[in-house]
Amino acid sequence: MWTWFHRLASPPTFYRLADRYSPWLAVLSLLLIGYGLVGGLWLAPPDYQQGDAFRIIYVHVPAAWLSLSGYVAMAAAAAVAIIWRIKLAECVVVAIAPVGASFTALALITGMLWGKPMWGKYWVWDARLTSELVLLFLYLGVLGLNRAFEDPRAGARACGLLALVGVVNVPIVHYSVEWWNSLHQGSTVSRIGKPAIAASMLWPLLSMTFGCMAFFGWAVLRRVQNDVLLRERRSTWVAALLGERKAAGHV
């Protein structure tokens, strides 16, 4: 097991695997997001209370879910980077931050757009909204720290420490609806028992969620590849890779 783990953590091995599988993730994300948008925006019936305004969940829910799961993945990569000092894990931390920040901002914006017709205001200092905003600041903090250091390894370690400290906010965001008197509605899909949503609405939502997951993975893999190439640009394997690309006519 550990041999496989260290082999995957090798920059040249990871780069070639990412180059092989990232196009499949891109195609999968296009198919799933395409079906999710068509099914959610046109085929699903209007909600009996919210009407067509509910359709924003097909963007809001996947974005909100990935804002949390992306931060957990970033914190896990930070732990690996700090404990085992694996350079590839440092690249993963730095790569996830802008993608996670984008999904977090999307979750906040779509939540505000939904809140206007439902609550009468674009923004209220609700527990869920406030803790999600803190999550965005944590992502942006990681991005800022990474750019504040000239040494990429020192910057990545600082980013990792912030990611590990900030992970305490993830359960606060997730359980804020249950812990406090929140205006935000409770869970309808991940609840224990039967989801409180019709199948015609549920399947497009699940398709959008998995499609956004595939897109998230594709974006992170490509960013990690770029960071690996930048760090290893003087390595022999990068020179060999460039030679292969030139021979194949790709450069």
Side-chain angles (χ1 to χ4, degrees):
M1 175 181 177
W2 289 110
T3 302
W4 175 85
F5 177 77
H6 284 288
R7 183 180 178 185
L8 180 61
S10 168
T13 301
F14 173 85
Y15 187 93
R16 293 181 184 278
L17 286 175
D19 220 29
R20 182 184 305 172
Y21 293 113
S22 57
W24 292 99
L25 283 176
V27 172
L28 181 63
S29 68
L30 286 174
L31 293 175
L32 290 175
I33 290 175
Y35 167 74
L37 288 176
V38 172
L41 300 182
W42 283 281
L43 302 181
D47 183 75
Y48 77 101
Q49 286 183 322
Q50 302 178 22
D52 286 323
F54 95 98
R55 299 184 191 278
I56 204 166
I57 69 169
Y58 294 104
V59 178
H60 176 72
V61 171
W65 191 84
L66 281 168
S67 70
L68 297 178
S69 57
Y71 197 94
V72 172
M74 186 173 67
V80 172
I82 292 172
I83 296 171
W84 287 287
R85 298 186 178 276
I86 294 178
K87 289 191 291 185
L88 186 63
E90 297 173 358
C91 296
V92 172
V93 173
V94 175
I96 289 177
V99 185
S102 300
F103 275 96
T104 307
L106 182 60
L108 286 169
I109 293 170
T110 52
M112 292 167 62
L113 293 175
W114 177 86
K116 178 61 175 177
M118 297 300 115
W119 301 337
K121 294 181 179 180
Y122 285 111
W123 182 268
V124 292
W125 291 101
D126 178 79
R128 171 62 63 85
L129 273 67
T130 305
S131 54
E132 184 77 5
L133 181 62
V134 171
L135 188 70
L136 176 61
F137 289 154
L138 287 168
Y139 274 122
L140 295 178
V142 171
L143 285 171
L145 269 180
N146 181 56
R147 295 188 178 185
F149 288 82
E150 293 185 3
D151 181 7
R153 299 213 66 181
R157 284 193 291 271
C159 293
L161 289 173
L162 177 58
L164 288 174
V165 172
V167 78
V168 70
N169 187 54
V170 172
I172 294 175
V173 177
H174 182 72
Y175 292 106
S176 58
V177 177
E178 301 175 15
W179 290 348
W180 291 284
N181 184 20
S182 173
L183 291 174
H184 196 284
Q185 70 183 57
S187 176
T188 56
V189 178
S190 60
R191 59 187 293 180
I192 297 175
K194 186 178 179 180
I197 182 172
S200 58
M201 300 176 179
L202 176 63
W203 288 112
L205 180 58
L206 292 177
S207 180
M208 278 293 295
T209 301
F210 287 114
C212 288
M213 287 173 60
F215 175 79
F216 194 104
W218 171 82
V220 170
L221 283 180
R222 287 308 193 188
R223 290 190 64 86
V224 173
Q225 283 185 292
N226 290 338
D227 199 17
V228 165
L229 282 181
L230 184 62
R231 292 190 182 203
E232 301 280 318
R233 59 188 179 276
R234 295 184 178 86
S235 300
T236 55
W237 72 269
V238 174
L241 179 66
L242 185 60
E244 293 174 10
R245 295 288 173 88
K246 286 182 177 179
H250 296 160
V251 177

